[in-house]
């Protein structure tokens, strides 16, 4: 497979995340009234709620004036996404796993930006997970598939960068040892 196709193929994941995110949000909006609880699974471990978040993570910035929220939560993230896409296509060092992870992060980012642009009430969140008092949360703040994609792919990307840097460090150390042995 040529290098350009290798770079474009992960964007299938971007599209899948956007489509699944928007379908699930559509179903929530259609079937569960705003600020109401839907079904629960595994006792009360997983609950489905229909909430709207006019801010960003953990409702940060939800009290900002509307125009400032649009600027901060649409224009800035779009600029970051454009920058990430530019870096993505210019970089020849990303592994396949890193490319797929970046594509998943982009899909999640686009999914929430679509809500911020087209849903005046804000981003639709609906997944509520029991957190058993960890970090002071009885329940983790409600989230959606786009959020999940950003977090999961972000963790995978971070781990893959850590592994790559660790391998490069070992290879450099090994090369130094070989170089020292050959000079003796």
């Amino acid at each position: 497979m040529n290098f350009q196709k290798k770079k474009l193929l992960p964007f299938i994941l971007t599209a899948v995340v956007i489509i699944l995110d928007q379908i699930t949000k559509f179903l929530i909006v259609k079937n569960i009234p705003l600020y109401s609880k839907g079904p629960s699974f595994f006792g009360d471990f997983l609950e489905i709620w229909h909430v709207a978040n006019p801010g960003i993570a953990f409702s940060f910035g939800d009290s900002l004036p509307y125009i400032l929220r649009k600027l901060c939560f649409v224009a800035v993230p779009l600029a970051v996404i454009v920058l990430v896409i530019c870096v993505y296509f210019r970089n020849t060092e990303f592994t396949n796993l890193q490319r797929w992870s970046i594509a998943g992060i982009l899909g999640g980012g686009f999914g929430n930006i679509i809500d911020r642009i087209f849903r005046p009430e804000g981003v639709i969140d609906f997944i509520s997970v029991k957190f058993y008092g960890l970090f002071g949360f009885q329940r983790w703040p409600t989230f959606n598939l786009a959020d999940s994609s950003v977090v999961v792919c972000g963790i995978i990307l971070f781990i893959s960068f850590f592994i790559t840097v660790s391998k490069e460090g070992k290879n450099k150390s090994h090369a130094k040892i070989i170089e020292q042995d050959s000079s003796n």
Side-chain angles (χ1 to χ4, degrees):
M1 180 182 309
N2 76 25
F3 194 64
Q4 278 309 99
K5 280 187 184 176
K6 261 184 143 171
K7 283 185 174 185
L8 290 173
L9 191 60
F11 284 97
I12 292 171
L13 179 58
T14 303
V16 167
V17 168
I18 292 168
I19 291 166
L20 289 176
D21 178 63
Q22 291 301 308
I23 288 171
T24 56
K25 289 172 180 174
F26 170 80
L27 291 171
I28 293 299
V29 169
K30 184 175 183 209
N31 295 302
I32 301 173
L34 187 59
Y35 302 111
S36 297
K37 182 178 175 242
S40 295
F41 303 93
F42 312 110
D44 67 344
F45 176 74
L46 174 65
E47 296 177 347
I48 304 300
W49 283 82
H50 176 185
V51 298
N53 180 359
I56 54 173
F58 307 108
S59 295
F60 176 76
D62 63 348
S63 62
L64 291 173
Y66 177 79
I67 197 74
L68 190 56
R69 276 198 330 258
K70 285 294 183 192
L71 178 66
C72 291
F73 305 149
V74 175
V76 172
L78 274 175
V80 170
I81 286 175
V82 168
L83 179 66
V84 168
I85 291 170
C86 289
V87 169
Y88 176 92
F89 280 105
R90 292 181 134 197
N91 186 298
T92 58
E93 303 297 318
F94 289 137
T95 66
N96 280 336
L97 179 61
Q98 290 165 346
R99 290 191 185 287
W100 283 90
S101 297
I102 292 167
I105 292 167
L106 290 171
F110 276 123
N112 282 336
I113 286 174
I114 289 168
D115 280 18
R116 289 187 186 121
I117 292 170
F118 296 106
R119 295 182 193 274
E121 69 275 17
V123 174
I124 301 301
D125 290 328
F126 58 91
I127 303 168
S128 176
V129 179
K130 191 168 187 171
F131 215 59
Y132 303 101
L134 294 172
F135 305 112
F137 294 109
Q138 282 307 311
R139 301 198 72 76
W140 189 253
T142 309
F143 59 97
N144 58 48
L145 292 183
D147 299 332
S148 299
S149 183
V150 169
V151 170
V152 170
C153 291
I155 290 168
I156 292 169
L157 184 63
F158 177 79
I159 291 169
S160 72
F161 279 141
F162 181 77
I163 290 169
T164 301
V165 168
S166 178
K167 282 181 182 177
E168 287 174 0
K170 286 180 184 178
N171 289 342
K172 285 180 183 176
S173 295
H174 186 68
K176 269 187 173 177
I177 291 169
I178 292 173
E179 186 179 295
Q180 287 174 350
D181 285 347
S182 65
S183 66
N184 291 333

